[in-house]
Amino acid sequence: MVLDTPGVFPKDLAPSTDKEPSREIRQSFGTTYGGNYKLQWEDKPRTILIIKKQYDEKTDKALIEVASWIHTKYPDINVVVEPDVAQEFVKELPFVYTIPDNKRIEYTRVTDLVVTLGGDGTILHTSSLFNSAVPPVISFSMGTLGFLLPYHINNYQTAIEKLIETRQASLLLRMRLKCTLHGADGQRLQAKDGSGRINDLTVMNEINLHRGRYPHLTWIGCYVDGHLITEAVADGLIVASPTGSTAYSLSAGGSIVHPSIQSLLLTPICPRSLSFRPVLLPPNATIQLKIGEKSRGPAEVSLDGKETFFLDKNEFLQVCMSAFPMPCVNRVHAGEDWIKDINDLLKWNQSFLNKQSMSHYMSE
């Protein structure tokens, strides 16, 4: 069943009332969540949202298999997919529900569990659907390695069944960032399409302020809690979360930060001054990046490599820790998994290649 009429939902997805208890997972400054959090549902999950990687035949087949299995084994559970996915698989998945794009706020209210099929990019897309509280997310890889993929698709039945039957989950709360955009007068910027002011923006990996298509370096005033720390002249600056420390920030020379550590990473991109090094800031800090008067053109703001906005001279962005983390379902030995990921993906603890095996060292 595909519901693409705005405001029309199945009975279990009816509009909320003030009497409903809050299901939001939040975090605050100084929260100790280095170990596993344990989630206990009072009732069996009623609604499961499945997010899949786009334009991938292998993931398409997995979606049909996983959604059909959930619907057959648990017919009382609502299976929700994105509108374009429901339209594409209307024949194979006639039982799924959708939430219209203009009602995205409903994702937070009605979803009890999110299942992602794909790579790390699929999880970043999932984060973009939830600007506030996020339900538990269980992620399945399709055979590729990734920092955010604790389960393989071959084990989806066992993993999902355990969550539903026990109503328990081991969670790692991955910190997210909140970003706001401001004009020179300090007021919130308005959207270019005339839809009103740009609301709070929530990202999982990083906010990237960069020169974009312009050839000149950008002048950026860097403030922490209202105090100027430097005026950076660089290709750009990255504000990353601990999860994003192994993404663009790492390529720009930033530190690797364990996802259980609350911190904000400020990493310059090709700075003119070699004394400007990456900085690790406390989670209660507020970072302000302001486009300087000497900049020769506007700067671009990219959020998790997707959404893009533009800032002119004296306009600025402000970043702080979001109260709404990404609660990722993990295995009991999540700490060991992170160490294994570092070794597998970044090739730590591997000896140098034997020169004898390299073709340009081999005699002809």
Side-chain angles (χ1 to χ4, degrees):
M1 179 179 182
V2 180
L3 298 175
D4 55 5
T5 303
V8 179
F9 301 100
K11 181 178 180 181
D12 284 344
L13 305 188
S16 60
T17 65
D18 294 337
K19 296 182 179 180
E20 290 187 6
S22 173
R23 298 181 297 175
E24 295 182 347
I25 297 175
R26 293 173 177 256
Q27 68 184 50
S28 58
F29 305 130
T31 303
T32 303
Y33 62 106
N36 293 339
Y37 266 99
K38 197 165 189 178
L39 172 71
Q40 175 74 56
W41 279 293
E42 293 183 359
D43 300 306
K44 185 171 66 176
R46 295 186 304 169
T47 303
I48 295 179
L49 170 65
I50 303 179
I51 304 293
K52 74 169 211 69
K53 178 181 179 181
Q54 289 185 317
Y55 316 120
D56 183 80
E57 184 177 349
K58 187 176 181 180
T59 310
D60 292 346
K61 293 179 181 178
L63 168 69
I64 297 172
E65 181 179 343
V66 172
S68 300
W69 176 80
I70 293 174
H71 180 65
T72 301
K73 188 170 182 64
Y74 303 101
D76 56 330
I77 291 181
N78 301 307
V79 179
V80 178
V81 297
E82 294 181 271
D84 58 335
V85 175
Q87 185 175 4
E88 181 180 356
F89 297 96
V90 64
K91 294 182 179 179
E92 297 88 345
L93 304 174
F95 52 84
V96 299
Y97 295 108
T98 66
I99 294 176
D101 287 333
N102 63 342
K103 295 286 185 179
R104 281 190 174 187
I105 192 173
E106 293 296 314
Y107 280 122
T108 291
R109 188 184 62 79
V110 305
T111 306
D112 297 308
L113 176 67
V114 180
V115 174
T116 71
L117 308 173
D120 288 352
T122 308
I123 303 175
L124 295 181
H125 172 65
T126 300
S127 174
S128 71
L129 298 177
F130 295 87
N131 210 33
S132 56
V134 188
V137 179
I138 183 168
S139 303
F140 296 96
S141 77
M142 306 305 298
T144 57
L145 293 174
F147 279 105
L148 309 177
L149 304 170
Y151 295 95
H152 192 276
I153 189 60
N154 292 343
N155 303 319
Y156 80 86
Q157 292 188 12
T158 301
I160 296 176
E161 186 175 20
K162 182 179 179 180
L163 286 178
I164 294 175
E165 298 297 337
T166 65
R167 302 203 299 272
Q168 293 181 351
S170 175
L171 300 179
L172 172 64
L173 303 185
R174 290 186 176 270
M175 174 182 149
R176 296 197 297 168
L177 305 175
K178 183 180 77 171
C179 175
T180 56
L181 304 179
H182 303 260
D185 58 358
Q187 299 299 312
R188 298 286 283 271
L189 286 184
Q190 301 291 313
K192 301 298 184 183
D193 59 5
S195 58
R197 79 170 196 173
I198 300 173
N199 294 322
D200 295 354
L201 304 164
T202 306
V203 301
M204 187 173 178
N205 263 1
E206 79 272 316
I207 294 128
N208 176 20
L209 178 62
H210 58 99
R211 62 186 175 89
R213 70 197 72 178
Y214 299 96
H216 307 289
L217 296 177
T218 302
W219 292 69
I220 305 171
C222 304
Y223 299 81
V224 175
D225 295 332
H227 301 285
L228 177 68
I229 59 172
T230 187
E231 186 174 44
V233 183
D235 280 353
L237 288 172
I238 300 169
V239 182
S241 69
T243 295
S245 70
T246 51
Y248 192 5
S249 176
L250 179 61
S251 297
S255 299
I256 297 175
V257 182
H258 192 282
S260 68
I261 297 175
Q262 287 186 339
S263 60
L264 302 173
L265 289 80
L266 180 60
T267 306
I269 306 171
C270 300
R272 185 177 70 179
S273 171
L274 298 181
S275 64
F276 187 7
R277 312 308 299 166
V279 181
L280 210 58
L281 298 168
N284 59 339
T286 298
I287 299 174
Q288 188 181 97
L289 303 180
K290 185 176 183 179
I291 308 303
E293 284 282 356
K294 296 181 182 179
S295 288
R296 299 188 187 183
E300 293 187 20
V301 181
S302 299
L303 308 174
D304 280 346
K306 293 186 177 180
E307 281 190 285
T308 299
F309 300 90
F310 294 89
L311 295 181
D312 290 317
K313 292 180 182 180
N314 295 317
E315 294 182 338
F316 62 93
L317 63 83
Q318 196 161 278
V319 184
C320 62
M321 186 183 90
S322 171
F324 304 105
M326 193 78 166
C328 297
V329 177
N330 59 18
R331 296 188 293 269
V332 175
H333 303 293
E336 297 175 13
D337 290 341
W338 183 80
I339 294 173
K340 184 177 182 299
D341 288 341
I342 291 294
N343 289 329
D344 290 345
L345 298 176
L346 300 184
K347 309 301 181 185
W348 283 19
N349 295 320
Q350 295 190 24
S351 59
F352 291 105
L353 287 174
N354 187 336
K355 290 184 179 180
Q356 298 288 330
S357 66
M358 300 176 70
S359 59
H360 56 279
Y361 281 100
M362 295 178 66
S363 58
E364 297 183 1

